[in-house]
Amino acid sequence: MTGGLLMSGAIAALFATALPAHNPSGAIVDPPPDKIVINVATVNGSGCPAGTAAVAVSPDNTAFTVTYSDYLAQVGGNSDPTAFRKNCQLNLVVAVPGGFTYAIASADYRGFASLKAGATSTEKASYYFQGSSNTASITHPFRGPLADNWQATDTTEWAQLVWSPCGVQRNFNINTEIRVNAGTSAPSSTSFMTMDSTDGELSTIYHLAWKECPAS
């Protein structure tokens, strides 16, 4: 899947919860007053078949949204033995204004879970730049009985942010997965977890942090 989205205009303050109250030298709260371009290089995974994921950039350039429509993992009953885990890896080409770099400061995930008593599930996300050994991963567990919408937020302190290299174009990778474990639930019962809302779509929002690159 390929595509490009270009947004420009008035720049608002960075999403309030994405940044700590005090930032070190070189860190800025407002994104640069220019445009950001995000191209989806590839979308791969059992949770995002071709044509089921899309990316959009917010008008203020502080966030982008990934929308899924076919992201479901399940176990038990007549479930396929391989259906207990689904994943989706986004490979993004992000062009930012010269002299700036960016990182993912926080991410919001939502979906629905139907877990029988004794069953468990997890949502996990990993973030890294192409060619970099720095990977940030966060896992959120859920436990049955549960039949409700779920939400998980990944938040990274400023000092632990994984920044795009200055002056170098590196693709950014986001690898998400949902996993369901039957545990002690009855084998005939079905437990499942989706990364989508009840109307068939989920907006996963990634909030950007910005800072200036050192003068060359």
Side-chain angles (χ1 to χ4, degrees), residues 108-145:
D108 301 321
Y109 300 94
R110 296 178 180 87
F112 183 85
S114 177
L115 304 176
K116 303 300 183 183
T120 61
S121 67
T122 57
E123 180 274 328
K124 179 181 179 181
S126 301
Y127 314 90
Y128 64 96
F129 288 93
Q130 182 181 19
S132 173
S133 59
N134 293 327
T135 301
S137 297
I138 301 176
T139 301
H140 299 274
F142 301 87
R143 182 176 297 276

Side-chain angles (χ1 to χ4, degrees), residues 150-173:
W150 62 268
Q151 178 174 340
T153 298
D154 296 349
T155 302
T156 306
E157 294 297 326
W158 189 274
Q160 278 74 51
L161 290 176
V162 180
W163 294 95
S164 171
C166 285
V168 180
Q169 179 64 62
R170 296 282 179 85
N171 288 13
F172 185 61
N173 295 282

